[in-house]
Structures are given as C-alpha cells and as structure tokens.
Amino acid sequence: MFELSLMCPEDRIEAVSDALDALDALSVSVEDADAQTDAEQALFGEPGMPPPKDGWQRSRVVALFPTQAAAEEAQQLLAVQDFFEGCQVLGIANVPEQDWVRLTQSQFVPVDITPDFWIVPTWHELPAQAVRSIRLDPGLAFGTGTHPTTRMCLRWIARNGAVAADGTSTASTLGRVLDYGCGSGILAIGAAKFGAVDIDAVDIDPAAVESTLQNAQANGVQLKAGLPDKAQGEYRTVLANILATPLRVLAPLLCSHVAAGGHLVLAGILERQAQELQEAYAPWLQLQVADKEDGWILMTASR
C-alpha cells in the first residue's frame, strides 16, 4: 500500500478529504502537522456535538491507496482543482508490510493504577509487584486503563475499597456498586477486585454489555450486566465515566441511585467543565474535584 501525504490549511480539509474519498482512497486521516512541537493544538469534541474544527491551521492529510499508480493519479487530479489552492503535496511513500496484530499489541502495555494494582493485557506477563490486577485486552468497548479518566476512577476505587493483604475481600466499603456506562466493564471489575460483591454494570450499547460479561468471566469476578433499565434501587457507590454532556442530562437519574451515606463518582470531564457539572448536580449533591490528570478531572460527592 502507498500513502499520499498532503499539507492543507484548515479551510481546505473537508474538500480535500471528500475528493480523496471519491478517488477511492482506502482511508483518509487528518493530523496536526505541528504535533510534538510547541505549536501543537488540542482539539476536544463530544459525541452528538458539532466538531470544534475540521482540523488544525496546518494539517497533514494522509490518504492510503492500494497501488502507487492510484496514489500518483490522485495527486495529479487534486493538483489541478481550484480547492487545492494553498495545499502542498508532501510525497508518496510505500507502506512496509508489517505484523499488524503484533504492532497493535505493542501499543498496549501494563498500566499501573497504584504501585500494586495493574491493568495487564493477556499477552503480557503480570508485573512482579502486581498484588491485584485486571486482565483486559482492547476491544469494541471503551476502557483499557490507558485513559486518564479510567485511571482516576480506578485509583478512587483502590483508595476506597477494602481488601485484605492476601487479596481476599473483606466487608467492602464500596458496598453495592453501579457502573453506569460500563464500556468494557473495567470499573465494575475493579470494584469486584476491591471487595464489592453486588455489582450492576449497564450501558446503552449491547456490544459493551457483552464485552463486560466476557471480561468479568476472564477475570473470575461476579457481576450483572445489561441495558440501563438493569439499574434498580440505591447503591453505596455509583460510578459513571462518560462525558460532560450526558452526565449533565443524567444528573437526576444518577443521584437517585445514590444511597444515604453513599458516593457518586463522575469522570469524562475536562477541567474547564467543573463548574457546569457542579451547577447541574447542585439540586441533589455537592460535587467536588477529587483528582485531575492531563486536563481531565474526577468529581465526587457523598450523600
């Protein structure tokens, strides 16, 4: 396969990308041409909301073609189009054959949540210091332990769970647990590893429900998983690692599930969104920032 690389200003990205798609590119990606430099820009967006921008002021557009001839033809056809003004061809490069499975696996390494609590893909050996661990491979559902929001939730679970020194559960301080928007089930499984024994994990995506059940079985823990109507009654611990917009909408529902003396733990929130979340939950609970990492925050409240 061959990559055609272009430099495009922000206002040309959509037209160039559409043209590449019409020219039968196998894939088209847009990257910040200034990534890993002082000029790098972060773009944040949320599902259901318009994208903040089509790209960056200096974007590198990369199209993949099955043959060199197809890439060269695309280059020649683009060069004579009016919308290509201001763009630049960076070149055509052969993509070397690789073991894509091995390459993908190499991107996922064991992640330490605490010094003795690790998330470990199945193709890696457990680190010697891992007293507790979750075995988890990347799949269709969100949550592998590499994202700051997931790590912060798991750190909270580790701090607030109760587990004996030998790893066996005691009377868990987590109590009954609800993982709302469970994705891969990683938070629910983490709660089980720290002593919770009555766990409901729910998601609107049936694929996430299936992934959660499979991951729970692979980790030897017991939980119940299903669609959101599976969540019933009150819980001592309610976890929701989603995004700020759905968390605002879900405020009355999530708060209704928090038992007296219980805890609400929210993630998927950017630092600049703290106040709007506090205001959304103020009629029921007083949210506070409990942790932060790489521009993301963890917010918690107690009833």
Side-chain angles (χ1 to χ4, degrees), residues 60-222:
R60 181 171 176 261
V61 179
V62 180
L64 189 65
F65 289 92
T67 65
Q68 183 172 355
E72 290 174 346
E73 181 181 13
Q75 172 188 331
Q76 294 164 4
L77 289 172
L78 285 172
V80 298
Q81 306 302 318
D82 292 341
F83 60 76
F84 199 69
E85 183 180 355
C87 300
Q88 175 188 357
V89 176
L90 298 179
I92 295 174
N94 183 22
V95 180
E97 291 292 332
Q98 299 192 61
D99 184 337
W100 294 105
V101 172
R102 186 177 297 277
L103 178 62
T104 300
Q105 290 180 345
S106 70
Q107 299 175 36
F108 294 91
V109 298
V111 176
D112 59 319
I113 304 303
T114 68
D116 61 359
F117 177 36
W118 289 69
I119 313 300
V120 186
T122 56
W123 55 82
H124 281 281
E125 295 292 330
L126 285 175
Q129 61 270 43
V131 177
R132 284 171 291 277
S133 63
I134 298 176
R135 285 290 199 175
L136 198 67
D137 295 340
L140 295 177
F142 174 82
T144 59
T146 60
H147 197 274
T149 60
T150 309
R151 290 197 299 270
M152 288 189 292
C153 287
L154 290 171
R155 281 201 296 265
W156 187 94
I157 290 170
R159 287 196 302 264
N160 290 273
V163 179
D166 61 0
T168 60
S169 62
T170 63
S172 175
T173 57
L174 297 173
R176 188 178 183 222
V177 173
L178 171 63
D179 180 3
Y180 200 98
C182 57
S184 67
I186 188 171
L187 302 186
I189 295 168
K193 293 285 185 174
F194 280 87
V197 293
D198 187 1
I199 305 168
D200 288 334
V202 302
D203 203 291
I204 61 173
D205 184 357
V209 173
E210 182 61 28
S211 178
T212 294
L213 291 171
Q214 292 176 357
N215 289 330
Q217 182 178 23
N219 282 276
V221 301
Q222 298 294 318

Side-chain angles (χ1 to χ4, degrees), residues 43-54:
L43 297 181
F44 296 102
E46 294 191 22
M49 301 291 288
K53 293 182 177 181
D54 290 328

